[in-house]
Structures are given as structure tokens and as C-alpha cells.
Amino acid sequence: MTTPMTSAQRLDALFAYRKPDRVPIGTQFMGLGFNTVHQGGTVRQAYEDPEKCFHAFLDTTRDFGWDQILQGFSHTVLAAADFGGQVRLPRDTYEGAMVVEAYPMTAWEDIENLPQPDPETAGNIPRALRFARLQQDHGLPVTFLSRSPFTMAANICGFELFLKWTLKAPERCRRLMQMALDHTHAVLARWAGLFGADNLFVWMTSPGESNQLIAPRLFERLALPYHIAYHDRLRSLGIRRFGLHICGEQNRNLPALAEAAPWPHPSILSVGTEIELETAARFFPRDIIYGNIDPVTLRTASAQAVYDLCRTSLEKARRIEGGFILGPGCELSPWTPPENLHAMTRAVEACGH
């Protein structure tokens, strides 16, 4: 009988374009709140207590038979907090993430007083560093999470104001994106110095680029150049493992994103339920596709419905050349029924080989 691969071996196999013993299950990256609540904690603790969050991650992977990959502590860099805004922790069961109470900017004139964040002390950085050290101590990849420069810039002034500037004053958007990129790079350079570039897994999320917010022409003109600049910075630091969450409805962005594809291959590309797995695989044949189980279905449907949905995704995944990780298409609700997540594991055990 063949010995099952470890999580690390499955991930290494995917990055070497080899087939692992089974499809990896990558739910933890999207399960910050769920993991902590499942282990008896609160959503607030998931964002406040790196030690509790980390051990909840380890215990939850054990409970569900998931793979210990791609777990981070919130985002390492958070623009609204890092640039001097007011961000608070969730207060009750109806808040599943941190809440922005005041943005650093409310008018363009505020740019003159906008600080360049300290890469050691700003916002969430000290807590994220404690989480990263726990990953290192347990022999796991150290995950560095950031938003895209476009999304980070919008989080400095709020999306309503930022989206107005994309049309009326795009030079303002570019200045904010450059500040966001410089800050991300400063923190990332510190991470590379502390942990070594070979031990880092950089993960970017890009919800601000959704076509529900911007048109493809704006994505190409404003957001995409800073994706490319982001990867220029990663290459300068020698970082080779990368993942991108293409959040929301971005089907019309895919042609330009695929043509540029500035990341190293293979990288992990995560898509939501809005993007079909076959579509992602067609545009990014050299990369590992991650997704795209609907979090609403996971939260509200029956365990049998979840099992059937995962089985369908696993059948589609057989035709994905670059490799596949089964996981939710976006953040898990902290109150997702455990039996539905066990159904994901059962589907992989039955159909993911």
C-alpha cells in the first residue's frame, strides 16, 4: 500500500507539474474566522490573537483532513490601518471581518499629511509577524498576504472616492497605487530578510479589480501595470512561489491578465464561483487552479449538495493541465456547518485521485 503524501509533498508535486496522490484541499486560506470559531474561539480572536488563530488552523486541518497550505493571519499589509485610518476588530456574531471606521483620506488634500507606514510597526504587521514565526517554527511556508496595489490604494481613501478618481483624476490613483506598492515591498523585503525568500509564499488578493466595480479598459490601463510592477519587486527579492486570488466577477479581465501573466509559472490562481474552472484553465494553462466552491452553498446547502458540487468540480479538474486545488471561491462563513466541509473531504477521498 502506497504511503499517502504529506501536504508539503502534494504542494511540491503541483509546483513540479507532477500529479499528487490526491487533489489537495486548500480551505484554510479562506477560513480564518471559521477555523477559530470551529475550535471554540471567536471571529475577533481570529484577527486579534495570532497564536490562537495558528493553532486553530492546525487543529482544523487535522479535524477535516485538509492540507496545511496557504494559511495566513489576515493580511500582512492593510492599507486603511497602515496609512493611519481607524480599523476595528469585529464585535459580534454578525461581523465576520475587521471594519473600517475612518479612512486615512477623505479628500485629495489629505495626501500632504499621509504618512509612509513603518514596515515594522504599522497596523497589523506585528501580529502578522508573530503568526509568520509560528509557521516557521512548525516547518510550514511563511505566507505573506497582501491586496493588489489597486485594491490597497482604494482602501486608503475608500472605494467611492477612488473610483471617481479612476475616471476624473487617474494620476491621483497612480500616486496612491505607487505608495501602496512601495509600502508592500518594504514589508516584504523585511519578511525576505527574516525568513529567506525561498521560504516565502506570497499571496495577493484583488477584489477591487472586479468587473462589478471597474470596466476591463480601466483594469488594463490602471490596475494591470501595478500587477506587473508588483512582480518586478518579487523577482528582485528572489521570491518564486506566488498565489493570486482573482476575486469576484473578473471574466472580462482574464484576456489581458493572461497576456501579461507576470508571475512565475506555475503559480496558484484562485477563482470564485463567478469564473468557471474550465475558463480559468484555458486562460492559465501553465498555472495551478484553486477553487471554486461557492461559500454560500457551503453555508446554506445540505451536505449531499456540497458533496455533489465538489464531485462535479473534481471531474472538471481532471482536464486541468497545470494542476488543481479544491477549495472555496472566497472566504468561508465562520458559521459554515462542519458536516458540509466534511463533505468536501469525502468527495476528494472518493473522486480526487
Side-chain angles (χ1 to χ4, degrees):
M1 184 175 180
T2 304
T3 302
M5 286 182 170
T6 65
S7 296
Q9 288 170 336
R10 290 188 185 107
L11 194 61
D12 287 343
L14 289 177
F15 274 92
Y17 290 121
R18 291 186 287 106
K19 184 179 178 180
D21 62 337
R22 65 157 174 80
V23 170
I25 309 173
T27 315
Q28 309 86 341
F29 163 65
M30 304 291 191
L32 188 71
F34 174 82
N35 295 343
T36 308
V37 170
H38 178 67
Q39 298 301 331
T42 65
V43 177
R44 181 185 179 96
Q45 288 174 318
Y47 290 90
E48 184 179 38
D49 188 334
E51 289 76 21
K52 190 172 188 66
C53 179
F54 179 78
H55 289 289
F57 152 65
L58 291 183
D59 292 342
T60 302
T61 58
R62 179 203 62 215
D63 290 349
F64 289 95
W66 294 339
D67 291 286
Q68 293 181 353
I69 53 176
L70 302 178
Q71 174 67 10
F73 180 74
S74 182
H75 281 72
T76 311
V77 287
L78 288 164
D82 293 8
F83 281 87
Q86 296 178 23
V87 180
R88 67 167 175 80
L89 294 162
R91 289 175 177 161
D92 56 40
T93 56
Y94 295 102
E95 292 182 342
M98 290 185 284
V99 178
V100 178
E101 293 192 317
Y103 289 100
M105 295 179 66
T106 58
W108 181 247
E109 291 70 27
D110 295 337
I111 192 75
E112 301 303 327
N113 299 315
L114 197 66
Q116 190 63 34
D118 187 319
E120 296 187 14
T121 63
N124 204 43
I125 294 170
R127 286 194 289 255
L129 180 59
R130 283 159 54 193
F131 190 95
R133 292 194 188 283
L134 287 167
Q135 289 180 304
Q136 182 186 50
D137 292 345
H138 285 76
L140 298 172
V142 174
T143 310
F144 182 95
L145 298 179
S146 75
R147 300 289 196 188
S148 63
F150 185 92
T151 302
M152 278 192 67
N155 287 149
I156 294 174
C157 60
F159 267 94
E160 183 176 354
L161 187 56
F162 188 78
L163 293 177
K164 288 180 181 178
W165 288 341
T166 63
L167 300 175
K168 296 181 178 181
E171 69 282 356
R172 296 181 180 182
C173 299
R174 293 188 180 96
R175 182 170 175 183
L176 289 177
M177 284 189 284
Q178 188 63 50
M179 293 179 70
L181 178 63
D182 290 344
H183 173 48
T184 302
H185 179 73
V187 184
L188 184 53
R190 182 172 176 239
W191 248 241
L194 289 170
F195 302 108
D198 287 345
N199 297 318
L200 287 183
F201 198 119
V202 174
W203 191 269
M204 179 205 287
T205 64
S206 60
E209 288 90 325
S210 168
N211 296 140
Q212 293 154 317
L213 293 172
I214 65 170
R217 68 186 187 327
L218 275 178
F219 172 77
E220 291 185 52
R221 188 165 69 241
L222 282 179
L224 186 57
Y226 287 87
H227 277 263
I228 295 169
Y230 188 105
H231 285 283
D232 289 341
R233 302 289 182 95
L234 261 60
R235 279 190 292 273
S236 74
L237 294 171
I239 294 168
R240 294 179 293 177
R241 287 202 172 180
F242 174 74
L244 170 65
H245 179 47
I246 306 171
C247 190
E249 171 54 79
Q250 295 203 42
N251 280 283
R252 292 183 293 161
N253 294 341
L254 297 183
L257 190 60
E259 183 177 357
W263 48 81
H265 303 290
S267 287
I268 296 177
L269 301 188
S270 164
V271 296
T273 189
E274 298 89 349
I275 298 175
E276 294 287 343
L277 294 178
E278 301 96 325
T279 301
R282 184 173 73 253
F283 277 105
F284 308 107
R286 295 184 291 167
D287 295 306
I288 302 157
I289 306 302
Y290 176 125
N292 64 339
I293 305 302
D294 180 18
V296 175
T297 300
L298 290 169
R299 172 69 178 88
T300 62
S302 68
Q304 185 61 49
V306 170
Y307 179 90
D308 292 341
L309 180 59
C310 292
R311 183 178 61 185
T312 299
S313 294
L314 290 164
E315 290 170 356
K316 294 177 181 178
R318 297 182 190 280
R319 299 185 290 276
I320 296 177
E321 296 179 10
F324 179 66
I325 299 172
L326 182 71
C330 203
E331 183 77 15
L332 276 177
S333 165
W335 304 280
T336 301
E339 58 268 25
N340 286 2
L341 299 177
H342 281 298
M344 291 184 68
T345 305
R346 288 192 292 107
V348 167
E349 290 171 348
C351 311
H353 295 275

